[in-house]
Amino acid sequence: MADTIELIDLKAQYRALKPAIDARIAAVLDHGRYIMGPEIAELEDRLATYVDVPHCIGVASGTEALLIALMALDVGPGDEIITTPFTFASTAEVIAIVGATPVFVDIDIADCNIDASLIEAAITPKTKAIIPVSLYGQCADMDAINAIAERHDLIVIEDAAQSFGAAYKGRRSCGVSMIGCTSFFPSKPLGCYGDGGAIFTTDVGLAQIMREIRVHGQAKRYQHDRIGVGGRLDTIQAAVLLAKLDSFDAEVAARIAIGDRYLEMLGAMSGVRTIRVAEDRTSVWGQFTVLIEDRQRVAGALAAASIPTAIHYPIPLHRQTAYAGISRIAGSLENSEHAAASVLSLPMHPFIAADVQARIVDVLGGATAR
Ligand SMILES: *Cc1c(COP(=O)(O)O)cnc(C)c1O
């Protein structure tokens, strides 16, 4: 009997890194600085160097990272933020939390990222920022988006929750716009053992404001110059991330190799459409997602063979009750609707064996051929 196939196998990673992770956690338990301990600054330095931007701010989650970024930019009622409806709810949620209006622009069906060619038509005098999501682990066309933003005096915030470690024209995700926000939720490409996230920025003034917002708007203890949040990253989570960073390059390489293997095996399969990775980019495959017309039946066949799948995401945000009344739709969102109806994510993590991957593809091929 073969081992159980997991969608994302976090225990395999822990087994591989156990001594380093245990030692780092034990060090925190010993020094006792559970809140803003020395591991936070150490991690921020390492991450800033990795991404190659001057400022990194560790925060409580990916959602908190996006929220703090919008608060630092003073986004509020009357402002519009352009984003994609085909994403996890957080991206639009934070826009609504600060009282601004999410403006949904359709995706390019080839990579399921926001279609940069549709953004300019959605800009109004109220537009303040654009939040492209690097969905499934690949950056959107950031140079095109940055150029539009520059022409219209807008800020670009990359939602890089699924793409930490990905490359875009030789730069790293989180370092391809003025602000980049990522998540360290356990199942993300770089995950901790609870909630966590980080903000990256090239702007020293914004970095200072974000650091203050992270701790209740304090410039100094008990001096509150602005409204903030309780948005700190836990020291223990920083310790876990520091232990994992040593092997992160190897994990990214494994993710890319496994993704390439999937693309090669699935590329010619009829009834299955893979995500296109642009030549100037890499995907770290936060999810390995394909588009299948007959999704329900194929997912059923995989489940019957004990192969887990997931749907990222079944309902685009403009169709969600919470967002229907408070968002604006800019143009047709037919690609987002089509993607929501047909995407299926396959098991994807750096520890999938080649024979397991071949079996997944076999079962998928058998199901789509019927
Ligand atoms: C996971 C995710 C988030 C939120 O990250 P959390 O750490 O769970 O708050 C935001 N955006 C996208 C696209 C995500 O996948």
Side-chain angles (χ1 to χ4, degrees):
M1 179 73 197
D3 284 346
T4 314
I5 300 177
E6 310 249 13
L7 196 62
I8 297 174
D9 193 344
L10 298 173
K11 283 176 287 183
Q13 186 196 44
Y14 178 60
R15 281 194 296 273
L17 303 176
K18 185 175 181 348
I21 291 172
D22 289 1
R24 275 287 191 170
I25 291 175
V28 176
L29 297 178
D30 278 338
H31 70 54
R33 296 179 58 192
Y34 309 126
I35 299 294
M36 295 305 283
E39 284 80 2
I40 299 292
E42 185 185 352
L43 177 71
E44 289 174 343
D45 281 353
R46 293 242 341 239
L47 294 177
T49 302
Y50 179 82
V51 172
D52 196 21
V53 298
H55 311 285
C56 170
I57 300 120
V59 295
S61 70
T63 308
E64 212 72 2
L66 292 163
L67 177 63
I68 291 171
L70 291 178
M71 290 174 76
L73 295 172
D74 249 329
V75 172
D79 295 331
E80 293 185 343
I81 308 293
I82 292 173
T83 190
T84 160
F86 192 57
T87 176
F88 183 60
S90 289
T91 320
E93 187 175 47
V94 293
I95 300 169
I97 288 173
V98 297
T101 303
V103 175
F104 293 126
V105 167
D106 208 6
I107 57 169
D108 182 339
I109 200 70
D111 61 9
C112 291
N113 276 327
I114 192 167
D115 186 337
S117 72
L118 303 176
I119 290 176
E120 211 145 21
I123 294 172
T124 73
K126 294 177 175 176
T127 310
K128 259 206 141 163
I130 307 168
I131 309 184
V133 177
S134 301
L135 200 75
Y136 304 146
Q138 176 184 208
C139 290
D141 192 353
M142 296 303 286
D143 277 356
I145 294 169
N146 285 325
I148 293 164
E150 207 161 300
R151 280 201 291 281
H152 296 271
D153 202 18
L154 309 175
I155 306 289
V156 178
I157 304 169
E158 182 197 7
D159 180 344
Q162 302 180 7
S163 61
F164 195 75
Y168 176 87
K169 301 187 184 180
R171 287 171 281 157
R172 285 227 161 94
S173 177
C174 287
V176 289
S177 55
M178 183 187 275
I179 302 172
C181 295
T182 197
S183 164
F184 303 128
F185 187 81
S187 60
K188 309 283 180 171
L190 178 61
C192 57
Y193 290 160
D195 281 305
I199 313 170
F200 296 82
T201 182
T202 51
D203 188 287
V204 61
L206 271 179
Q208 181 54 33
I209 293 170
M210 288 167 174
R211 285 183 193 283
E212 293 175 14
I213 293 174
R214 171 174 69 176
V215 286
H216 307 286
Q218 295 174 108
K220 286 192 235 154
R221 193 164 209 195
Y222 302 131
Q223 178 188 319
H224 304 269
D225 294 341
R226 61 182 79 250
I227 301 295
V229 293
R232 293 167 298 228
L233 177 67
D234 289 340
T235 309
I236 283 186
Q237 300 304 342
V240 170
L241 292 164
L242 281 164
K244 288 193 180 188
L245 264 183
D246 292 331
S247 50
F248 187 61
D249 282 340
E251 287 199 8
V252 166
R255 284 177 172 279
I256 291 171
I258 290 164
D260 283 348
R261 212 151 62 208
Y262 263 140
L263 290 177
E264 197 185 304
M265 291 190 286
L266 296 171
M269 194 179 284
S270 71
V272 177
R273 183 173 177 155
T274 54
I275 296 292
R276 190 191 64 207
V277 180
E279 274 181 24
D280 53 14
R281 290 163 231 184
T282 59
S283 177
V284 290
W285 300 112
Q287 287 86 14
F288 191 92
T289 305
V290 295
L291 288 80
I292 299 176
E293 294 314 321
D294 201 358
R295 173 174 70 191
Q296 201 179 341
R297 193 176 52 73
V298 171
L302 288 161
S306 300
I307 297 168
T309 58
I311 297 173
H312 302 101
Y313 296 90
I315 305 171
L317 296 184
H318 63 286
R319 295 273 181 214
Q320 298 278 3
T321 309
Y323 296 97
I326 54 131
S327 56
R328 186 164 73 76
I329 289 173
S332 156
L333 299 178
E334 63 183 341
N335 287 338
S336 301
E337 308 239 344
H338 176 72
S342 55
V343 288
L344 188 67
S345 299
L346 304 177
M348 175 71 214
H349 57 83
F351 301 90
I352 294 188
D355 62 325
V356 171
Q357 220 186 339
R359 193 161 89 77
I360 294 165
V361 172
D362 262 0
V363 176
L364 185 64
T368 50
R370 280 197 293 157

